[in-house]
Amino acid sequence: MDRTTQLTARRTVHFDPVRTSAPPPFTGQGDTGRARTAVYDPVRPAESVHARAAQVLNGNWRGTSTVPSRSLYPHQWSWDSAFIAIGLRHLSPLRAQTELETLLDAQWGDGRIPHIVFNPSVPLDAYFPSPDFWRSSTAGRAAGAPGTVQTSGIVQPPVHALAVWLVHAADPGLSRSRSFLARMYPRLAAWHRYLLHRRDLGGGGLASVVHPWEQGMDNAPSWDAPLSRVTPAPARSFRRADLDHGAAEDRPTDLDYGRYVRLAADYRDGGYADGGRPGGGIGGFAVEDPAFNALLIASEHALARIARELGATGTARHARAERLTAALVDRLWDPAEGLFFCRDVRTDEPIPERGVSGLVPLILPTLPRETAATLVRTLRGPHFGLGGTTRLVPSYDLTGHAFDPHRYWRGPAWFNTNWLVERGLRLHGELAHAAELRGALLETADTSGFAEYVDPYTGEACGALGFSWTAALTLDLLHGTAPEAAHGRAEKLGRAEEFGTDEEFAATEKSGEGALGGDLR
């Protein structure tokens, strides 16, 4: 089957055309037991991008959470739900809160938030690894896995506190009436403690991932070297359900998948215990990743804002975020290359592969000014080509030996990483570049059918269509302040949007924007 036929087939399977009528309202059940009704914005025309994005999220809603894709990913995924909630806040703040609450209800006793929460009504063979592979309630008992729901045993990037803060800000009155922040804060604090204490495997203050799936960019070339030390599980020991829904040439190879399975099985068989020592990790795989840690730092800033809203100062958390930023620069920044690189904890050496992960620290407000400026030059240079050869930021170096514009995280552009880069550009005053990227994101999301990922040169759709975080982040961009109108406000408030110091928080609160209303993006 040629690529055109494959893409046409995927459109048929994964994406329903938008109905001309408005999507039905969502009726949720709050903690008080009283039903609340959250209605989609009724003033948008049915044929608008807004309506089409809303329809995707409505079609992927499963009552208490949203699946990334109805067939390829039929359960709840951790960082997907965080991004989805950020978009849902513009449609239904209650539904966005419910999304995050459902995920955090599956949190383990040791603080980890699992990367998958399984829907028991989905057949076991619909997705692999399935609940009977992870065996969370038995293998994870010592780590405090919940007994009432089945989950995976690994984690995903910690964008959750940022999502919780933004969802709160969308409707502070509703959030306060439901004690949303008061209920979320201790869970988020436990999550951060787990990462900062149990996952500091390199001893330098940063969190390590112990499986490529934890970082979210599953088969990025950065993993090739550390994965090469892993003996793959026999091909006959598992069946890849992902190949039922996607072209094999777009997905990870069988060899890589065998190594993923081996790492996960070893972690499970070890009771999901973390090494907690320098050079630790499962099967020798432990990597400090710049995007994972940048999202942890951004969420630490957001957690400080949540603490302030709840009556504390938040000063200690802001200080911790600044220390983590310094550690990130010290351990992972390469000034000569103008990029952050992953570090292999086992060898204590950087992994010389340029990926979009190395650009994500642009989201950090206390990143040194020269570091941010250098990242922007790298973003627009020959390795990523933004504004020149590419429409969106590719996931991997255009000049790299492993570049492929269609194979999963080895070249295609993803909407969540581009959304993060767009935020970072605005945060550091690169408003013209941010506006250009924002326009390309909105156009490509719509013309691709809200694809999972796209060719960075052409915008050609790849993977699943009707993908939830693509639709959600499209909504967030549509609801954002127009970049050309935001310049004065950005200069006035500096970096106070959601990561600022306590003094900046007070400034936004006084102005009626940021903390308790207005555009918080």
Side-chain angles (χ1 to χ4, degrees):
M1 183 184 298
D2 63 23
R3 181 169 299 281
T4 300
T5 305
Q6 289 163 348
L7 289 170
T8 302
R10 284 199 289 274
R11 285 190 181 95
T12 301
V13 172
H14 297 303
F15 186 70
D16 290 337
V18 175
R19 292 188 288 269
T20 55
S21 59
F26 159 71
T27 301
Q29 193 73 18
D31 285 354
T32 61
R34 294 192 300 270
R36 294 178 181 268
T37 300
V39 182
Y40 287 111
D41 185 343
V43 301
R44 302 280 176 169
E47 294 302 318
S48 69
V49 178
H50 182 282
R52 287 191 286 275
Q55 183 63 37
V56 169
L57 293 177
N58 195 51
N60 291 345
W61 176 249
R62 292 295 176 265
T64 58
S65 65
T66 309
V67 297
S69 163
R70 279 174 284 174
S71 53
L72 184 55
Y73 304 106
H75 301 285
Q76 183 179 27
W77 262 259
S78 173
W79 76 326
D80 289 75
S81 278
F83 289 120
I84 289 165
I86 289 170
L88 279 176
R89 68 189 173 123
H90 302 295
L91 302 176
S92 165
L94 175 59
R95 182 165 151 185
Q97 291 179 28
T98 302
E99 183 83 36
L100 295 167
E101 290 163 352
T102 300
L103 177 67
L104 289 173
D105 281 345
Q107 186 173 24
W108 290 28
D110 64 2
R112 81 182 75 192
I113 298 174
H115 97 295
I116 302 174
V117 181
F118 289 106
N119 181 344
S121 67
V122 173
L124 289 178
D125 62 357
Y127 182 82
F128 178 85
S130 53
D132 58 343
F133 172 88
W134 295 103
R135 306 171 202 160
S136 61
S137 59
T138 54
R141 185 178 294 117
T148 56
V149 63
Q150 293 295 311
T151 75
S152 65
I154 59 175
V155 303
Q156 275 191 323
V159 68
H160 309 90
L162 174 58
V164 165
W165 173 251
L166 294 176
V167 167
H168 159 78
D171 190 338
L174 173 67
S175 175
R176 291 167 184 149
S177 72
R178 301 184 71 247
S179 301
F180 177 61
L181 293 185
R183 289 183 291 110
M184 293 296 102
Y185 183 84
R187 299 183 182 191
L188 294 168
W191 169 222
H192 286 205
R193 280 195 302 273
Y194 168 78
L195 293 173
L196 292 170
H197 296 287
R198 305 290 288 276
R199 288 298 191 88
D200 182 12
L201 303 179
L206 300 181
S208 294
V209 296
V210 299
H211 195 290
W213 289 339
E214 291 199 313
Q215 194 266 357
M217 304 177 194
D218 298 10
N219 68 323
S222 297
W223 315 132
D224 291 353
L227 270 179
S228 68
R229 300 189 294 261
V230 177
T231 302
R236 64 182 180 278
S237 66
F238 61 92
R239 190 189 77 82
R240 295 182 58 179
D242 63 315
L243 297 182
D244 295 340
H245 308 286
E249 64 265 31
D250 289 353
R251 303 291 298 176
T253 66
D254 287 341
L255 178 60
D256 284 339
Y257 219 90
R259 287 170 169 151
Y260 304 153
V261 172
R262 172 71 70 184
L263 277 175
D266 287 351
Y267 195 30
R268 176 199 66 204
D269 295 344
Y272 297 111
D274 296 303
R277 62 187 186 282
I282 304 303
F285 187 99
V287 176
E288 293 173 350
D289 172 77
F292 190 99
N293 281 280
L295 289 170
L296 174 59
I297 295 166
S299 277
E300 190 70 15
H301 279 298
L303 202 55
R305 306 300 295 276
I306 295 171
R308 178 66 181 267
E309 167 70 13
L310 293 173
T313 65
T315 303
R317 290 202 175 275
H318 279 310
R320 182 181 295 114
E322 292 179 6
R323 290 195 301 271
L324 287 169
T325 301
L328 183 73
V329 172
D330 179 61
R331 291 184 64 79
L332 305 186
W333 173 243
D334 187 329
E337 296 293 339
L339 194 67
F340 287 89
F341 288 90
C342 294
R343 178 174 289 273
D344 188 333
V345 172
R346 182 169 176 177
T347 64
D348 198 30
E349 294 290 338
I351 300 172
E353 298 285 4
R354 297 180 182 90
V356 68
S357 174
L359 298 169
V360 170
L362 267 175
I363 65 172
L364 300 179
T366 60
L367 197 67
R369 188 175 301 276
E370 180 54 35
T371 302
T374 302
L375 280 176
V376 174
R377 289 194 293 270
T378 300
L379 172 67
R380 299 181 64 79
H383 298 294
F384 296 95
L386 189 66
T389 58
T390 60
R391 299 178 66 179
L392 299 178
V393 186
S395 52
Y396 178 62
D397 181 3
L398 299 172
T399 70
H401 66 97
F403 176 77
D404 182 330
H406 294 111
R407 189 180 287 279
Y408 223 42
W409 288 96
R410 301 176 89 85
W414 291 72
F415 290 88
N416 64 330
T417 53
N418 274 264
W419 179 86
L420 289 167
V421 170
E422 192 270 347
R423 287 175 68 84
L425 288 170
R426 276 191 290 111
L427 183 65
H428 291 283
E430 299 285 350
L431 299 184
H433 296 329
E436 181 181 25
L437 179 54
R438 177 179 182 269
L441 276 166
L442 290 172
E443 179 185 6
T444 306
D446 190 30
T447 59
S448 71
F450 302 99
E452 183 180 2
Y453 52 99
V454 298
D455 183 308
Y457 294 117
T458 67
E460 175 188 350
C462 300
L465 301 190
F467 202 72
S468 289
W469 77 25
T470 304
L473 298 177
T474 296
L475 288 171
D476 195 58
L477 291 171
L478 287 170
H479 280 260
T481 301
E484 61 272 17
H487 186 64
R489 178 175 175 269
E491 288 186 330
K492 178 182 177 182
L493 297 180
R495 298 173 178 182
E497 289 182 276
E498 72 270 353
F499 301 132
T501 64
D502 289 337
E503 290 76 19
E504 289 169 329
F505 182 99
T508 58
E509 191 173 36
K510 182 178 180 181
S511 70
E513 298 177 320
L516 302 178
D519 177 65
L520 203 68
R521 302 175 62 259

